[in-house]
């Protein structure tokens, strides 16, 4: 019987859950703002994890600063992940800003505007 999910998918899901808890409870909110972990993409060999986050209520410079702070705090975050997960090797963490939410909102605005123009 084939497995429903690959190991990398299961590990990325667990890393996403644990990161959300770490960033919510253990991390200085003043430094990064309100961060949401949207997705974790992990390589097949489980060596590198790309973490896509959204920072709410921040301007462009605040978003860049938050991502820089997260990347600078990677050793602390990895050590916390190590304590919580039963993996031989914790992957290298790389944080990226995920602008898909903003893009979706912009598309929704454009569709709404075009719908309003059609009514006129």
């Amino acid at each position: 019987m084939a497995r429903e999910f690959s190991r990398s998918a299961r590990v990325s899901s667990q890393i996403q859950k644990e990161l959300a808890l770490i960033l919510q409870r253990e991390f200085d909110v003043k430094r990064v703002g309100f961060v949401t972990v949207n997705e974790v993409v992990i390589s097949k060999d489980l060596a590198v994890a790309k973490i896509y986050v959204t920072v709410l209520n921040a301007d462009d410079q605040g978003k860049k600063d938050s991502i820089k702070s997260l990347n600078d705090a990677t050793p602390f975050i990895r050590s916390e992940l190590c304590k919580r997960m039963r993996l031989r090797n914790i992957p290298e963490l790389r944080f990226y800003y995920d602008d898909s939410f903003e893009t979706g909102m912009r598309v929704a605005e454009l569709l709404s505007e075009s719908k309003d123009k059609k009514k006129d």
Side-chain angles (χ1 to χ4, degrees):
M1 187 163 131
R3 290 187 183 180
E4 194 170 324
F5 298 105
S6 67
R7 177 171 168 81
S8 61
R10 292 190 313 264
V11 170
S12 66
S13 175
Q14 187 63 32
I15 287 175
Q16 182 175 357
K17 291 175 189 174
E18 296 298 337
L19 277 175
L21 290 173
I22 290 169
L23 293 176
Q24 181 182 16
R25 296 182 181 158
E26 315 268 331
F27 207 70
D28 185 17
V29 176
K30 297 171 190 163
R31 230 170 79 181
V32 295
F34 186 72
V35 176
T36 304
V37 179
N38 292 347
E39 185 179 12
V40 175
V41 179
I42 197 163
S43 62
K44 286 192 178 239
D45 62 353
L46 305 178
V48 178
K50 294 181 181 177
I51 300 143
Y52 295 95
V53 297
T54 303
V55 182
L56 300 178
N57 299 332
D59 58 347
D60 287 336
Q61 186 60 38
K63 293 172 186 174
K64 289 178 185 176
D65 292 342
S66 295
I67 296 299
K68 184 178 181 326
S69 295
L70 286 171
N71 281 316
D72 290 344
T74 299
F76 167 75
I77 296 170
R78 280 186 77 191
S79 69
E80 289 297 316
L81 271 177
C82 187
K83 293 175 189 174
R84 296 166 184 246
M85 295 184 67
R86 294 178 48 203
L87 288 175
R88 183 177 297 156
N89 296 319
I90 298 294
E92 176 185 340
L93 306 177
R94 298 179 185 161
F95 289 91
Y96 299 97
Y97 184 74
D98 184 16
D99 61 351
S100 62
F101 180 73
E102 293 167 358
T103 304
M105 293 299 289
R106 180 69 182 138
V107 169
E109 280 179 27
L110 292 172
L111 289 173
S112 177
E113 289 173 8
S114 69
K115 186 177 176 182
D116 291 341
K117 287 181 181 178
K118 279 188 175 182
K119 285 183 180 180
D120 294 339

